């Protein structure tokens, strides 16, 4: 009898030990973070910083794997892959959500924000915060905004006034607002993935494109575009996004730490963005590969006058009150 008891106790200890070993060695939650830009960009740096912070705070429990340069998915596939559970985190440009919501089109309206401080103010305000949930019905939730910067126009010929863009082909992101913006100056917009832009420019299949200083520099567009007009006509920012199913399925304590680390990584990425908007512009000037065209106020006004009617065209889809809130952020 005594012997049986001893056997039973040893058995229970062995089972408990085996269970604890299983728990201790349980595979960590893997977060695949897919993006399309180089590592030396605001988004590339933010993603790497997030992986580093999660490794510090949740080592053994969560592992972040970062895939830059469209290695895993391009922006036109990443959101579908996220819904299917093949990727957990991404930060596509706000211009790439047309299939999921019309509201985010607000960020593409030309000459809406006067600077990045206004963009930040709008995103932090009630409308910006509400927009984080704009894709929820489609199974995706915005966890935050990340800056890149204001967009410039690069081209094979100098662009000083809207007439200079007439008849020229420009690569754009997959946004109807951006298409309307280029049509407004008589140009031909072509929706193409980011990964194809350099080759399209190099082979002269297109005449120009619009992007931030950081993307023009890191993807070497300036080496194949002799002119860059400093137009600051729009914003290139990102929606840091995850699948609602994945995010809500995480244990509460893990989700809380991940959100804290993400906020810290975004703040870091925004700092990098502000520095790169100045530093990468200067590196392009120093390279002497591309001439930067600074517009006079009168020339700039011509671009504003030509492009601004696009606002009215998309007012119903975006919401008049949202546009008014964005305009108010400039004050
Ligand atoms: C990005 O910065 O993520 C890409 C922007 C673009 O497609 O031009």
């Amino acid at each position: 009898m005594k012997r049986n008891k001893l056997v039973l106790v040893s058995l229970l200890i062995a089972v408990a030990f085996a269970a604890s070993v299983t728990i201790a060695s349980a595979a960590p939650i893997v977060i695949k973070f897919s993006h399309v830009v180089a590592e030396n960009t605001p988004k590339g740096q933010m993603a790497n910083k997030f992986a580093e912070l999660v490794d510090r705070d949740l080592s053994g429990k969560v592992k972040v794997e970062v895939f830059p340069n469209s290695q895993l998915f391009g922006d036109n596939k990443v959101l579908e892959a996220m819904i299917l559970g093949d990727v957990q985190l991404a930060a596509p440009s706000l211009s790439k959500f047309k299939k999921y919501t019309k509201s985010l089109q607000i960020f593409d309206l030309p000459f809406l924000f006067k600077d990045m401080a206004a963009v930040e103010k709008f995103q932090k305000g009630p409308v910006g915060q509400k927009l984080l949930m704009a894709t929820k019905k489609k199974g995706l939730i915005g966890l935050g905004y990340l800056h890149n910067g204001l967009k410039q126009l690069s081209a094979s010929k100098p662009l000083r006034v809207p007439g200079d863009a007439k008849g020229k082909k420009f690569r754009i992101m997959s946004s109807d607002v951006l298409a309307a913006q280029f049509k407004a100056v008589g140009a031909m917009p072509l929706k193409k993935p980011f990964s194809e832009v350099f080759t399209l420019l190099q082979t002269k299949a297109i005449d120009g494109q619009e992007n931030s200083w950081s993307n023009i520099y890191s993807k070497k567009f300036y080496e194949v575009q002799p002119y860059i007009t400093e137009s600051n006509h729009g914003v290139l920012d990102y929606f840091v996004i995850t699948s609602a199913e994945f995010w809500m399925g995480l244990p509460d304590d893990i989700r809380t730490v991940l959100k804290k680390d993400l906020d810290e990584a975004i703040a870091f990425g925004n700092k990098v963005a502000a520095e790169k908007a100045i530093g990468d512009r200067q590196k392009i000037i120093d390279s002497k590969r591309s001439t930067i065209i600074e517009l006079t106020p009168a020339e700039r006004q011509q671009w504003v006058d030509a492009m601004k009617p696009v606002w009215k065209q998309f007012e119903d889809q975006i919401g008049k009150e949202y546009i008014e809130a964005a305009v108010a952020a400039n004050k």
Side-chain angles (χ1 to χ4, degrees):
M1 188 66 183
K2 226 178 180 182
R3 196 166 173 276
N4 282 352
K5 234 181 181 174
L6 208 65
V7 169
L8 189 67
V9 170
S10 322
L11 209 68
L12 285 173
I13 291 172
V15 169
F17 179 70
S20 73
V21 166
T22 312
I23 289 165
S25 62
I29 297 165
V30 174
I31 297 182
K32 289 187 183 162
F33 188 158
S34 169
H35 68 82
V36 299
V37 288
E39 286 186 283
N40 62 338
T41 56
K43 184 160 51 182
Q45 299 275 302
M46 173 269 182
N48 291 350
K49 172 62 87 180
F50 178 60
E52 189 188 305
L53 295 174
V54 171
D55 194 43
R56 180 195 70 189
D57 294 342
L58 293 166
S59 174
K61 294 183 185 157
V62 182
K63 186 167 170 37
V64 177
E65 294 174 355
V66 181
F67 299 87
N69 292 312
S70 311
Q71 270 166 24
L72 194 59
F73 295 106
D75 277 339
N76 47 356
K77 284 274 171 288
V78 74
L79 298 177
E80 285 164 32
M82 188 171 275
I83 289 168
L84 294 173
D86 293 336
V87 61
Q88 288 69 38
L89 207 58
S93 151
L94 286 156
S95 312
K96 296 179 180 172
F97 285 87
K98 184 185 89 173
K99 269 167 60 184
Y100 299 87
T101 172
K102 301 282 182 220
S103 317
L104 292 176
Q105 295 184 116
I106 189 167
F107 290 99
D108 287 336
L109 294 177
F111 299 102
L112 181 64
F113 297 107
K114 74 169 197 255
D115 53 24
M116 291 308 292
V119 175
E120 170 87 5
K121 193 169 160 194
F122 174 70
Q123 290 172 347
K124 289 246 158 83
V127 175
Q129 291 302 298
K130 194 171 163 196
L131 286 175
L132 289 174
M133 288 297 139
T135 53
K136 194 167 173 218
K137 277 197 196 128
K138 304 275 172 153
L140 299 169
I141 42 181
L143 297 174
Y145 298 98
L146 172 70
H147 298 322
N148 186 320
L150 296 176
K151 288 183 291 185
Q152 320 302 335
L153 289 167
S154 77
S156 50
K157 294 269 163 25
L159 303 175
R160 280 210 160 272
V161 289
D164 296 335
K166 194 159 184 237
K168 298 211 162 36
K169 290 187 195 138
F170 286 86
R171 175 270 174 175
I172 56 162
M173 294 181 270
S174 55
S175 152
D176 292 344
V177 177
L178 297 181
Q181 168 196 277
F182 278 100
K183 283 184 189 157
V185 294
M188 286 186 273
L190 284 134
K191 290 178 184 167
K192 293 284 179 191
F194 186 61
S195 53
E196 291 177 22
V197 182
F198 181 84
T199 309
L200 289 167
L201 294 171
Q202 191 184 36
T203 58
K204 304 207 179 333
I206 55 172
D207 302 294
Q209 62 88 45
E210 52 162 22
N211 234 304
S212 63
W213 290 116
S214 147
N215 280 351
I216 294 172
Y217 179 71
S218 61
K219 287 292 175 187
K220 302 191 189 317
F221 299 162
Y222 70 100
E223 292 188 359
V224 287
Q225 290 273 266
Y227 300 98
I228 304 172
T229 300
E230 190 162 32
S231 50
N232 291 321
H233 63 280
V235 61
L236 172 62
D237 259 21
Y238 304 116
F239 208 41
V240 183
I241 195 147
T242 189
S243 125
E245 191 182 335
F246 166 74
W247 191 247
M248 297 325 293
L250 289 169
D252 288 351
D253 55 336
I254 299 262
R255 194 188 316 109
T256 305
V257 178
L258 285 175
K259 182 67 171 67
K260 178 187 76 60
D261 287 350
L262 196 60
D263 289 345
E264 192 176 332
I266 288 175
F268 173 77
N270 286 345
K271 196 165 155 282
V272 173
E275 287 163 5
K276 285 199 173 287
I278 298 167
D280 289 351
R281 177 186 181 276
Q282 191 56 44
K283 284 182 192 153
I284 294 171
I285 295 173
D286 295 344
S287 78
K288 299 190 171 32
R289 300 288 293 264
S290 191
T291 302
I292 295 180
I293 299 172
E294 291 178 35
L295 300 175
T296 64
E299 285 167 344
R300 191 165 191 276
Q301 191 57 45
Q302 288 194 45
W303 291 92
V304 175
D305 293 344
M307 289 180 165
K308 218 170 152 183
V310 168
W311 293 22
K312 198 88 207 132
Q313 220 176 308
F314 288 87
E315 190 180 273
D316 288 347
Q317 289 183 30
I318 294 169
K320 195 165 182 237
E321 64 295 356
Y322 285 14
I323 299 177
E324 281 165 2
V327 170
N330 288 313
K331 291 183 192 127

